[in-house]
Amino acid sequence: MHLDLGAEDREATVERLEELGATVRETRTLTAGDHELVWTILEDPTGKASV
């Protein structure tokens, strides 16, 4: 299953999800002009990747 979550404070949300058992796989950044999009790919506690 793939699940996208949005949050006002991505870093705090990632930290909270790690406390709940998720593992950070990687963080990506996309820049286009003046806009920057940052997202973090997490794995659930069973080790399955979710992008």
Side-chain angles (χ1 to χ4, degrees):
M1 178 188 306
H2 173 98
L3 179 65
D4 289 328
L5 302 173
E8 288 186 32
D9 187 343
R10 184 191 51 78
E11 292 173 350
T13 301
V14 168
E15 185 176 307
R16 176 72 177 130
L17 291 170
E18 286 181 296
E19 290 171 2
L20 293 171
T23 302
V24 173
R25 186 179 212 191
E26 68 181 292
T27 297
R28 296 182 181 178
T29 303
L30 175 67
T31 304
D34 294 339
H35 302 285
E36 183 176 82
L37 178 63
V38 179
W39 67 97
T40 300
I41 300 169
L42 303 165
E43 291 186 2
D44 69 17
T46 63
K48 296 186 172 110
S50 178
V51 178

